[in-house]
Amino acid sequence: QSVLTQPPSASGTPGQRVTISCSGSSSNIGNRFVNWYQQFPGTAPRLLISKNDQRPSGVPDRFSGSKSGTSASLAISGLRSEDEADYYCAAWDESLSGVLFGGGTKVTVL
Amino acid sequence: QVQLVESGGGVVQPERSLRLSCIASGFRFSNDAMHWVRQPSGKGLEWVAVIWYDGSVTHYAESVKGRFTISRDNSKNTVYLQMNSLRAGDTGLYYCVRDPSGSGWAFESWGQGTLVTVSS
C-alpha cells in the first residue's frame, strides 16, 4: 500500500553520484518532513537523513537529502561499494494519520 | 547507549493472539513516542502503530486497525503490541522503534526485531 513511490533499483560505478527519488502527495511529503533509512541485508534499518536534509551524527556527508513540493530525493555522491543497501523514504501522512514508507530502492555498485 | 530489545515473537496459528514487548534503555523513555514497524521476509518496511510519549494517543495502519493494540508502561520502560486475530499477512520481523520528541517522525533508534510467523 506504498503511496510513496520509489524506483525499485538504482546503480552506479564507484565514485559516481546516484540519486533516488521519492514521490508522494500533499497529504504527506508536501506538508511533512521526509526521512530516509538505509538497510543492509539481515540488519535493522538506520536513520540516514531526517527532516528532509539533516544528517544524524555519524552519517557521511556523501549522503544528502532534498525536498521540493511533493517529491524528495536522496543523493549519494562518491559512491562506494559499502553503500550497496536498500534505501527507504518515509513521511507522516495526514489523511491516514500514520507513517508511510516508500517501497524501497536497492542500490547496486557496479 | 540506546537499546531496544524486542521479545514475544514466535509461530502462531491463524486467528490466534500474540503479545510483543520491547524494553528500552539508554534514554528517557517517557519523553518519546514509540512505534512498531514490520517487514515481511525479503520485502519492504511497513509501519504498524504509534503511541504518544504519555500513552494518550495511538494510531494504527489500516491493515491492523481493530486487531492490534499498542500500549506502554513508562514505569517499566516497555512498549507492547497486542496482536489478535492474526493472519498469514501479519508474518514478518517486527521492529520496535524510538521516535524522539521533535524529530519530525524520524525513527532514530531501532531494535533488532522479533519474528512473528502466522501459519497453520
Side-chain angles (χ1 to χ4, degrees):
Chain A
Q1 178 215 318
S2 294
V3 293
L4 298 187
T5 302
Q6 296 180 235
S9 64
S11 63
T13 57
Q16 275 191 327
R17 176 184 171 92
V18 168
T19 301
I20 300 168
S21 61
C22 176
S23 177
S25 69
S26 58
S27 68
N28 40 70
I29 292 178
N31 286 290
R32 294 285 179 165
F33 288 123
V34 177
N35 303 301
W36 290 89
Y37 302 90
Q38 177 189 55
Q39 186 180 32
F40 298 106
T43 69
R46 76 150 173 167
L47 180 64
L48 198 64
I49 297 288
S50 66
K51 293 185 177 180
N52 304 331
D53 57 11
Q54 304 299 304
R55 276 188 309 276
S57 173
V59 174
D61 59 7
R62 302 184 292 105
F63 295 92
S64 62
S66 63
K67 188 184 98 167
S68 178
T70 59
S71 293
S73 293
L74 173 71
I76 310 173
S77 58
L79 193 65
R80 295 185 178 185
S81 58
E82 58 259 39
D83 297 332
E84 274 207 349
D86 294 323
Y87 294 84
Y88 296 89
C89 61
W92 180 264
D93 188 282
E94 295 170 341
S95 298
L96 298 175
S97 292
V99 175
L100 287 175
F101 282 97
T105 299
K106 183 176 183 61
V107 169
T108 302
V109 181
L110 301 171
Chain B
Q1 75 276 20
V2 172
Q3 270 200 308
L4 299 169
V5 179
E6 303 96 336
S7 61
V11 180
V12 62
Q13 293 179 329
E15 294 305 314
R16 301 299 292 266
S17 299
L18 209 57
R19 188 175 88 151
L20 307 183
S21 301
C22 170
I23 298 177
S25 61
F27 65 100
R28 188 160 289 183
F29 180 75
S30 58
N31 277 6
D32 295 343
M34 296 295 294
H35 301 249
W36 289 94
V37 173
R38 68 185 181 184
Q39 185 172 35
S41 179
K43 298 193 175 181
L45 301 170
E46 180 188 14
W47 175 80
V48 174
V50 60
I51 185 165
W52 256 227
Y53 68 101
D54 59 355
S56 60
V57 176
T58 58
H59 292 293
Y60 300 90
E62 282 298 322
S63 58
V64 307
K65 204 171 287 186
R67 301 187 298 123
F68 289 13
T69 302
I70 189 171
S71 61
R72 67 191 294 160
D73 185 339
N74 285 349
S75 69
K76 296 182 179 179
N77 283 7
T78 302
V79 61
Y80 305 96
L81 185 67
Q82 177 66 42
M83 305 185 295
N84 299 332
S85 303
L86 281 162
R87 306 167 179 167
D90 296 319
T91 294
L93 190 60
Y94 283 70
Y95 293 105
C96 169
V97 180
R98 174 195 179 205
D99 175 5
S101 174
S103 72
W105 302 100
F107 296 163
E108 198 170 282
S109 308
W110 298 65
Q112 286 307 300
T114 186
L115 184 62
V116 173
T117 303
V118 182
S119 174
S120 54

